[in-house]
Every structure is written in C-alpha cells, then in structure tokens.
Amino acid sequence: QRPRAPPRRRPPPPRQPPPLPPQVVKAQRLVGRISSLSRLRKAALNPDTGTASKHVFHAFYTSGSCEDRLDRELRFPYPLVDLDDSKHGDRRWDAHVRYFKTDISPNKPSSDDALKLAKKLGADGAATDQNQCPTFVSIKRGASLRARDVVTHFFRRRSSNAFETWATSQLKVDVTFRNSVKADVVLYWHDPHDDGYGKVIAKLRPGAEF
C-alpha cells in the first residue's frame, strides 16, 4: 500500500498593501469624479467665458493596477490640497486649483462618454497603454478645453514626489519686477508660514529688473 501523500498546504492569502496615511486618504476624497465632457464643463469652466475658472489637474485611469498607481504610488492629489477644515485654515490651494479624475475602463455605463472626454483632451492613451496610465491633464486658469490649450503628462517613475514636482512646475508664473522710480528699491519675499519677517531677495537700482 502506497503511503499517503501529505495534504497540500493552501497558499497564503495575498499580502495586503499597507494602508495609506490618513492625510492622503483625506486628500483623495476631495477629488471630483467626472464622467463626461458636459460634467467637466459645468464643474471647471466659467459659464461667461467658457474657460477654466481655476487651474485644473485631471487624471485619466483604468480600474485595477492603474488605479493603484494613481492612488498609492502617485498619491494624487496629495500634498497639493488644503486639509485644514478649521475656520482659520490655510486655503491657498482651494483658491486656485481643482482636481478631477475619470475612469476610462471599458464596459462601464459611462465608458463611451469618458473616453470621448479623454480623446478631446489628448489623454486617451491611458485606455490602451499601461505605460501611459494614468495620464494627467493640466489646464491653466483661463484656458479652454481644446487639446492644444492643455498639457498632458504621464510618469515613467511614479512617486508622490514626482507628481508634486510636475504639478508645481505647471503652476509656476513668470514675473518680472522693474524699478521705474529714481531711487533704489528693495524686494522682499514674505512667507506667512515662516516667522512673519520678509527676506530680502533683490536690490534694484533705477531701471533695473529682477
């Protein structure tokens, strides 16, 4: 009589990813879900001008591993959000930026409208190429929803720092200061998050620029 084979051990359950920090979870709850072009127009555009009323960052993704990359690796939109709900909380992000995301997975009730929106903004590559998923669209304040007026981007190296670096670069504004008086002018940089005192960044002679 053959000896009985030892019972097969059940494979261990798949390891669950660690939970996201609570501040990241809170930030991700602030992202608006958009399923169509008409909904984006209503949420993001000034009805009088037809242009973006604030800067918009819009993520296009598919469910599954791509959504995990969006939420866990890039941690969109953290940390560029206002998390202090108190009366005296800093609202510098809410005043200037809005965040949206659209699931363009196939075979969903709104997939046709969602994909049309992605195509209009030049982000439909996220639906067919995992290397481009998720794809982000940056729409500057005052811009229209035409593809030529927006910037699309996807990350080869995905991290929260990578998203923050790219997003802040999109928000930068070039400013030139020119001294048009007949006396020297001192420029100060004041950051309310520091000690409240301004820092000298330049001294301009008459006619000089910075």
Side-chain angles (χ1 to χ4, degrees), residues 28-96:
Q28 292 176 346
R29 289 174 180 164
L30 301 177
V31 179
R33 294 179 179 269
I34 298 293
S35 58
S36 66
L37 177 59
S38 61
R39 289 183 179 272
L40 180 60
R41 283 174 173 156
K42 185 176 181 179
L45 300 188
N46 182 320
D48 296 326
T49 63
T51 59
S53 56
K54 299 180 182 181
H55 195 113
V56 172
F57 290 109
H58 195 141
F60 290 85
Y61 67 98
T62 55
S63 57
S65 60
C66 178
E67 187 173 9
D68 286 342
R69 291 194 289 270
L70 176 67
D71 292 342
R72 294 190 162 274
E73 296 180 24
L74 293 166
R75 297 189 171 185
F76 172 74
Y78 186 81
L80 308 184
V81 290
D82 298 320
L83 299 178
D84 187 351
D85 298 327
S86 68
K87 181 179 179 181
H88 302 289
D90 185 357
R91 317 306 299 172
R92 58 177 173 170
W93 294 112
D94 285 353
H96 302 287

Side-chain angles (χ1 to χ4, degrees), residues 171-185:
L171 294 169
K172 285 182 178 178
V173 177
D174 294 327
V175 178
T176 300
F177 296 93
R178 185 175 187 275
N179 182 7
S180 59
V181 299
K182 298 180 180 180
D184 293 351
V185 171

Side-chain angles (χ1 to χ4, degrees), residues 94-172:
D94 285 353
H96 302 287
V97 187
R98 298 207 64 183
Y99 300 96
F100 302 111
K101 64 180 182 179
T102 298
D103 186 351
I104 53 176
S105 303
N107 303 321
K108 288 199 170 185
S110 60
S111 59
D112 289 343
D113 289 338
L115 191 57
K116 287 178 182 178
L117 172 60
K119 286 181 178 179
K120 180 175 179 62
L121 298 179
D124 51 308
T128 56
D129 186 348
Q130 283 296 304
N131 290 325
Q132 297 184 36
C133 196
T135 291
F136 289 86
V137 174
S138 171
I139 308 170
K140 290 187 178 294
R141 178 182 176 181
S144 71
L145 296 184
R146 294 176 296 186
R148 67 182 184 183
D149 292 337
V150 307
V151 174
T152 59
H153 184 78
F154 57 89
F155 296 90
R156 298 193 181 279
R157 293 184 178 181
R158 304 181 186 94
S159 67
S160 180
N161 184 63
F163 167 72
E164 181 182 2
T165 300
W166 173 75
T168 51
S169 72
Q170 292 295 304
L171 294 169
K172 285 182 178 178

